[in-house]
Amino acid sequence: MSEASEQERRSGIDRIKPSVRRLGGYHLAEAHVPVKLNQNESPYDLPEPLKRRVLEEVAARSWNRYPGFVPSALVGAIAERHGCDPEGVLTGNGSNELIQAVLAVTVTPGAAVVVPEPTFSLYALLTEVHEGRVVPVPLRGDLSYEAAKFAETTRREEAVVVVICSPNNPTGSVVSREEVRRLHDGTDALIVVDHAYLEFGGEDAGELLDRCPRLVVLRTFSKAMGMAGLRAGYLLTSPELAREVAKAKLPYNLNIFTERAALAVLREPQALGEPVEALRAARDRIFRELEMLSGIHPYRSEANFVLFRVARDPVGHAELFRRLRDEHGVLIRDVSHYPMLDGCLRVSAGNGEETDAFLSATRTILEGS
Ligand code: PMP
């Protein structure tokens, strides 16, 4: 036995699946900057009175007891919001956890999972953890979805799951409800539609749940609902599929604090109306203003962020990213390593001041150099 493998054996690392050891893992470097526009969070915190009420409710409850086995009040409020059967609702510690649960109950070694390219990297990462086969379907050159290709690829590869992210992260592109319906009816895979950014644009595939039994819709409290720090998301599907996905979900995955906060937010949706409108307006303003800058090509987005390509002249994407952060304290996301996104950066819509700071710093860097 070679020394390296002896070392691997002693450390136990040789027990880790090769499919996992090959992966880079999901990672985001911490950075403390005044203007943080790199994670598509809402810049608007929840209203102070709502936060206080939730804190008081949680303080009044015993912390030594587990949460209810099913967070029924929250599940009921979600079912009411969508007019669906509560038995088809699952809540998660962020929608990430539910993506994981869906893939855990579907992906066997070698099974094909069809995903857009480029998209949120977690779908491919979790598929590979389960030794599935990621089959990417590229977006068009203008980064719009070519929906028909998904059905074709799903049939050819006999895929078990198709993931559609709409609006898509990091491009902001959308798939219509009719296209989701055709994909469902034209294949026999599970169709998972990740609607993390739906409040900002695009059509709700959730309205198809009654007629599309293999449809699974994912939603989150982390973006439009301003609760990223508390970790809450949910899944909508048929009661039959929900019962199976629930088997891969940890018991008591939603803590009592998150459950109460999510319920409070659903009961006070007016707290969210204005921020969502403001973020859509900020996104459109970012698009319009970037479009006027030479050397920058923004893509139309239906989400709360804008993707843009930076020409090499006068300042390349890496230099623009670095100078925004180091000279102006504005942190955005470098997505240039994604397939098809060479030279691309993504900026989240911020509040008025943050959006101003990003736009004016970008102008200064491009025009001043
Ligand atoms: N889906 C997409 C497309 C995302 O971009 C994100 C977060 N960046 C998530 C799901 C996960 O959201 P959460 O776990 O916070 O609900």
Side-chain angles (χ1 to χ4, degrees), residues 28 50 69 140 147 153 171-172 190 193 245 336:
L28 186 69
L50 183 148
F69 192 72
R140 295 190 181 96
T153 308
T171 60
L190 289 200
V193 180
V245 176
S336 59

Side-chain angles (χ1 to χ4, degrees), residues 4-20:
S5 59
E6 169 59 18
Q7 161 60 19
E8 284 187 357
R9 194 185 57 74
R10 270 197 291 130
S11 65
I13 205 80
D14 66 332
R15 297 292 179 216
I16 305 297
K17 297 191 279 189
S19 60
V20 170

Side-chain angles (χ1 to χ4, degrees), residues 26 39-40 93-97 99 119-120 122-123 165-169 194-197 218-223 228 231-234 305 333 346:
Y26 190 84
Q39 279 187 286
N40 302 337
N93 189 355
S95 58
N96 279 344
E97 189 199 16
I99 298 172
T119 194
F120 186 39
L122 203 65
Y123 316 132
C165 184
S166 178
N168 187 39
N169 178 12
D194 186 342
H195 270 337
Y197 300 97
L218 296 165
R219 301 291 297 258
T220 183
F221 285 86
S222 300
K223 309 294 178 185
R231 315 300 301 123
Y234 59 92
F305 53 81
R333 189 75 154 250
R346 186 197 73 193

Side-chain angles (χ1 to χ4, degrees), residues 164-234:
I164 295 285
C165 184
S166 178
N168 187 39
N169 178 12
T171 60
S173 16
V174 293
V175 169
S176 72
R177 188 159 43 242
E178 177 54 22
E179 287 166 331
V180 173
R181 190 191 63 75
R182 270 194 247 135
L183 176 59
H184 177 276
D185 292 355
T187 65
D188 52 17
L190 289 200
I191 312 297
V192 177
V193 180
D194 186 342
H195 270 337
Y197 300 97
L198 183 71
E199 287 87 344
F200 304 107
E203 294 179 1
D204 184 1
E207 291 177 20
L208 299 169
L209 282 162
D210 277 345
R211 64 166 308 290
C212 295
R214 282 175 285 101
L215 179 62
V216 177
V217 174
L218 296 165
R219 301 291 297 258
T220 183
F221 285 86
S222 300
K223 309 294 178 185
M225 303 218 232
M227 262 185 51
L230 300 189
R231 315 300 301 123
Y234 59 92

Side-chain angles (χ1 to χ4, degrees), residues 25-77:
Y26 190 84
H27 176 73
L28 186 69
E30 284 281 342
H32 300 283
V33 289
V35 180
K36 191 173 173 306
L37 300 173
N38 66 330
Q39 279 187 286
N40 302 337
E41 298 150 315
S42 174
Y44 304 108
D45 199 352
L46 294 177
E48 194 65 27
L50 183 148
K51 287 169 90 172
R52 296 240 157 266
R53 251 195 345 271
V54 172
L55 285 171
E56 280 161 23
E57 278 177 26
V58 175
R61 189 215 188 265
S62 44
W63 289 18
N64 56 320
R65 303 290 178 192
Y66 281 105
F69 192 72
V70 173
S72 346
L74 178 59
V75 164

